[in-house]
Amino acid sequence: MAPSTTSGAPFGRMLTAMVTPFRPDGGVDYDGAARLATYLVDEQRNDGLVISGTTGESPTTSDAEKDLLLRTVIDAVGD
């Protein structure tokens, strides 16, 4: 289903600040992130996701991790 965007809501009506899943060793769980993003978009019908936003992980991840996380989510759910 296409996002429900309008001129008053150019990014859609429901956006979620997605938590970043981590592995037990402290690394980013990219497979878990893809599964979570797919769930939030397909099952919970989010129009958009905020990645590495205000859920607290941003200061603890490197720029390379943030980049790969964003690419992983886009590959999972599209742009």
Side-chain angles (χ1 to χ4, degrees):
M1 175 176 285
S4 54
T5 59
T6 66
S7 62
F11 300 108
R13 289 182 273 173
M14 186 164 69
L15 304 169
T16 294
M18 188 181 99
V19 66
T20 302
F22 287 92
R23 298 184 317 253
D25 68 1
V28 175
D29 180 357
Y30 297 103
D31 291 335
R35 286 190 307 274
L36 177 57
T38 299
Y39 170 76
L40 290 170
V41 171
D42 292 348
E43 301 295 323
Q44 297 297 306
R45 300 177 51 104
N46 281 265
D47 296 317
L49 302 172
V50 179
I51 308 302
S52 293
T54 59
T55 52
E57 305 87 40
S58 185
T60 66
T61 53
S62 69
D63 289 344
E65 289 172 316
K66 288 179 186 80
D67 181 66
L68 183 53
L69 180 62
L70 179 60
R71 291 174 190 275
T72 297
V73 170
I74 290 171
D75 285 348
V77 298
D79 61 355

